[in-house]
Amino acid sequence: MPNPDKVASSSVLSRVQALISSYGPAIFIIGAIIGTGSVSSLVWAGAEYGMSLLWTLLLSCIFFWVLISLVSRLTFASGKTFVHLAKEQFGSAGAAYIVIAIIVSQLASNIGVIGIVSEAFASWLQIDTLVVSIGFSLSIYLLMILGKYSTFERVLVIFVTVLGLSFIVNFFLATPSPAAIVSGLVPTIPQGGAVVAAAMVGTTLAGSVVVMRSYVVHDKGWTLNDLKHAERDARLSGVMIFVVSAIIMACAAATLHVQGLHIENAIDMAYTLVPLMGNFAATLFVIGIVAAGVSSAFTNALVSVWSISDFMDWCRRPQTKHFRLLAIPFCATGVVAALFGGKPIVLQIMSLALQAIFLPLLVLFMIILGNRSALVGEYVNSRLVNILSIITLLFSLFMAYQAFVGLTELIQVTNQPN
């Protein structure tokens, strides 16, 4: 006779697993955004400018919710992924713009992501950075070609939980100023903060993640019958991304910023965890940053290969030969920083700013598609959705300009002789 306690425990565990699985797309998107790039830009923002750029994060999460809700409805109503729709409605040139934007930004991002992870891990264990970067690049490649969607979800749950808990606990121990948090909701861009603000938009309001959302809900098998649940899933994504991101920024503001410390190397970000574990902060940080790095580098490579395959009308299954060949360069870029030098954090900030530059045209495509009744039928954009979408477009244009200005300034500073 079965033990009633074990049966009840198993039943509870099954319900929890089912609940987590039902919000798989949200977890997938959170794992893609709350990664090394996000941590880098948020810690840099908190260290250099305190909480003054919190408003940028809030608006980015609101507009992110608008876009992933819109792309989900487009995918459900048409039964097609966003890249496929763009190719069908705007021709190969329109779809090529989206795919090229994803390829360029994600290649650049993975140089920074794996570079940061490798630098931090190598500094922690006092081993060669190149060896570490090769190891991480190979691990991410194997995860891509051997995994499947359900496996990806479970892995991302673990990664996001490890990173999130590290900073959430630290948030309560670091005691950031409530006044500073509130003042950060007042829109202002401090001197030199344009590229960091754009990077925060690039990692939160990322065009590549919006495109990924289309693939994830499509592969999850959701349809118009799941529209209401997809809306809840989208809201969960936006809220959780804001909460965790704001906590990371607040930790840096309450530790690095108040002490006048600056980020020079990846391991410097461990100081944000000093109130939590003292000298053990570096160890805890490295565990978190590795989890974040693997999740973001993996999703960067995955959305790139998916987009190329979709554009070429190829199968997107990891078991195919072309998928495995396409994955190689997106994973191999992880050794670039170790081979050729440079500061991975700066490279990461620059790659995120590129995402902000590419975003406006993608948003415009989505607005046009969402208003074509021949394509989406009765699910055409409502007046409210159009207003929010247009505001999102204007915000993306503003941040694209800030990204261009900031990148220009950063490149000039980087090229100055020491």
Side-chain angles (χ1 to χ4, degrees), residues 74 82 86 90 93-95 97-98 360-370:
L74 280 171
F82 182 67
F90 303 117
Y97 170 83
I98 297 172
L361 189 54
L362 184 145
V363 176
L364 181 59
F365 284 170
M366 293 178 65
I367 293 173
I368 294 173
L369 291 175

Side-chain angles (χ1 to χ4, degrees), residues 97-138:
Y97 170 83
I98 297 172
V99 174
I100 291 172
I102 290 174
I103 291 172
V104 172
S105 61
Q106 301 315 296
L107 280 172
S109 180
N110 269 10
I111 293 174
V113 166
I114 304 179
I116 292 171
V117 171
S118 301
E119 184 182 272
F121 195 81
S123 298
W124 179 45
L125 294 181
Q126 296 297 302
I127 57 179
D128 185 70
T129 303
L130 179 59
V131 173
V132 174
S133 63
I134 292 173
F136 279 123
S137 297
L138 182 60

Side-chain angles (χ1 to χ4, degrees), residues 185-242:
L185 297 174
V186 179
T188 179
I189 295 182
Q191 181 67 32
V195 71
V196 181
M200 290 168 59
V201 174
T203 189
T204 305
L205 194 62
S208 60
V209 178
V210 174
V211 173
M212 177 180 284
R213 171 75 176 187
S214 178
Y215 290 124
V216 170
V217 296
H218 183 274
D219 291 354
K220 187 73 172 176
W222 285 357
T223 65
L224 285 171
N225 294 328
D226 302 294
L227 189 56
K228 289 185 178 180
H229 181 71
E231 287 291 337
R232 292 193 295 270
D233 183 271
R235 286 195 295 271
L236 177 64
S237 298
V239 171
M240 290 303 299
I241 289 167
F242 175 74

